[in-house]
Amino acid sequence: MSEQHQETVVPDSDATIQVKGVTKRFGVRVAVDNLSFDVNRGEIVGFLGPNGSGKTTTMRMLTSYYTPDIGSIAINGMDTQENDIVTREAIGYLPENNPLYEDMLVSEYLAFVAELRGLSGADRRRNLDLTVEETGIQEVFYRPIYELSKGYHQRVGLAQAILHRPSVLVLDEPTEGLDPNQRITIRDLIRHLGGERTVLLSTHVMQEVENTCERVLVISRGKLVANSPVQDLLQQALELRRVYLEVEGNGIESGLAEIPGITEILSEGIEDGRKRYRLSVTADAEPRPEIFQMAKENDWVLWELHEERPRLEDVFHDLTAESVATGDDS
């Protein structure tokens, strides 16, 4: 075994994906830095990160498009470098750009994918029937791909990913570019496809995570910064309370600083003499009545005072705030 591939994967009967101490460099830039996580059989796990975080590089290593410089990856307990062909066969992959042969009929394209996957005879017919039914593409099966809507494009992309009945699905931005109705349809389809399969879902749409995933992995600057059930992150979001204030008057910031429970006063500028603030507030505090009373006592003109419902996006922002976007995700 090479010096770079030092860490041996110890199979875990529950873990379908095991990433152990993985590092990947491109020249002097470290794209993924000592990354470790497991995904268990049957889980649907969200894989999140800002642009340049190393998220796409990690998915490309999982699918053996790249190999780690250090560390190891196992699929179903088998090392991806030592069992390259077998582990590739266990994975269905839908890349972000979903490359399809537009001039082909859907039926021709899936027949082509079946050929590439080595499917023939009864297995091919059975897999094709199951795939068409699962992805709901019966009515477009004999239509050219270029005629299909974006939603059906994604369905065909999912169909090619599951045609060989893989145990692992890696989906990169599967709802990108879809309208709200199409997003709901594909989201429901992904939940259905989970079942006995393990699904690693990359997305920038937090609503997809909340409604589809059981657990979330967050990567920032190549490092794992969160590995939590979705409900835990949502609970964490409840502690990231924000109150928004628009007001005219004097001594506003010094007055707000005296109110218990306000931990941060962030100015968001002035417009027509009205000062705007975003206030960070502790989970158990309710400063709005005191702000209102202080406005009365100090003759402030109160234009706006409200609290926004905390969201998963707020937790994601806090976890990845130090990341610097560098263009395309790596």
Side-chain angles (χ1 to χ4, degrees):
M1 188 176 294
S2 69
E3 184 176 348
Q4 276 114 4
H5 187 59
Q6 295 173 354
E7 188 165 342
T8 301
V9 172
V10 178
D12 183 327
S13 59
D14 292 326
T16 306
I17 300 172
Q18 293 174 274
V19 176
K20 302 293 183 184
V22 165
T23 295
K24 182 67 179 178
R25 297 183 179 89
F26 295 98
V28 297
R29 184 171 67 85
V30 180
V32 176
D33 189 1
N34 194 30
L35 184 65
S36 297
F37 64 84
D38 291 350
V39 181
N40 294 329
R41 184 170 291 106
E43 274 192 301
I44 301 178
V45 173
F47 190 42
L48 312 179
N51 289 339
S53 64
K55 179 165 51 75
T56 296
T57 296
T58 301
M59 289 188 291
R60 288 176 177 173
M61 287 191 286
L62 288 173
T63 55
S64 294
Y65 185 82
Y66 294 153
T67 56
D69 296 327
I70 300 173
S72 58
I73 298 173
I75 304 295
N76 294 326
M78 292 179 288
D79 188 286
T80 57
Q81 294 183 63
E82 296 175 357
N83 303 276
D84 179 57
I85 300 300
V86 176
T87 53
R88 284 175 187 251
E89 290 174 348
I91 295 174
Y93 181 40
L94 177 63
E96 181 178 1
N97 59 355
N98 187 15
L100 302 175
Y101 291 103
E102 297 287 330
D103 292 336
M104 285 185 169
L105 304 180
V106 174
S107 57
E108 293 172 336
Y109 174 68
L110 292 180
F112 173 64
V113 173
E115 193 74 26
L116 292 178
R117 289 291 186 180
L119 297 172
S120 60
D123 286 343
R124 177 169 171 162
R125 290 190 296 273
R126 182 183 65 251
N127 285 13
L128 189 57
D129 289 344
L130 287 170
T131 297
V132 169
E133 181 179 354
E134 278 192 302
T135 54
I137 57 174
Q138 297 93 330
E139 67 179 71
V140 301
F141 189 63
Y142 294 107
R143 287 175 57 183
I145 292 174
Y146 71 82
E147 290 184 355
L148 304 185
S149 67
K150 177 68 173 177
Y152 272 115
H153 268 81
Q154 292 302 90
R155 285 173 177 264
V156 173
L158 285 167
Q160 66 78 26
I162 68 171
L163 184 59
H164 58 298
R165 319 313 294 173
S167 57
V168 177
L169 285 178
V170 178
L171 310 177
D172 193 357
E173 300 289 348
T175 62
E176 183 68 24
L178 300 183
D179 66 35
N181 290 332
Q182 291 170 333
R183 285 184 184 277
I184 292 171
T185 301
I186 296 299
R187 182 194 307 158
D188 292 342
L189 177 56
I190 291 169
R191 280 201 299 261
H192 170 72
L193 291 177
E196 297 178 356
R197 302 178 183 94
T198 298
V199 180
L200 189 68
L201 170 65
S202 167
T203 180
H204 286 95
V205 183
M206 296 299 151
Q207 191 175 8
E208 305 301 330
V209 176
E210 290 187 41
N211 291 287
T212 308
C213 301
E214 304 157 38
R215 183 159 58 95
V216 176
L217 304 167
V218 182
I219 186 174
S220 179
R221 292 188 174 184
K223 294 180 177 292
L224 193 68
V225 295
N227 179 355
S228 302
V230 172
Q231 289 304 315
D232 287 2
L233 285 183
L234 289 173
Q235 183 60 41
Q236 187 175 337
L238 294 176
E239 300 172 4
L240 296 171
R241 297 178 56 205
R242 302 284 188 266
V243 171
Y244 292 85
L245 173 66
E246 185 175 353
V247 62
E248 287 183 71
N250 298 314
I252 295 169
E253 292 187 23
S254 58
L256 293 174
E258 296 175 2
I259 298 177
I262 297 178
T263 60
E264 181 183 35
I265 302 168
L266 180 64
S267 173
E268 295 192 328
I270 302 174
E271 183 177 348
D272 296 330
R274 304 195 299 264
K275 301 175 184 178
R276 297 186 60 85
Y277 296 96
R278 187 184 74 193
L279 313 177
S280 297
V281 181
T282 58
D284 57 349
E286 180 46 272
R288 286 176 293 175
E290 291 189 58
I291 294 173
F292 183 77
Q293 185 64 33
M294 186 172 286
K296 288 172 59 179
E297 293 172 356
N298 291 277
D299 293 323
W300 298 345
V301 179
L302 197 59
W303 288 84
E304 182 180 343
L305 177 61
H306 76 278
E307 179 176 353
E308 284 193 0
R309 177 183 177 273
R311 303 163 299 171
L312 196 57
E313 284 93 334
D314 298 318
V315 180
F316 176 78
H317 176 74
D318 274 25
L319 290 169
T320 61
E322 295 182 1
S323 290
V324 177
T326 57
D328 291 339
D329 195 10
S330 61

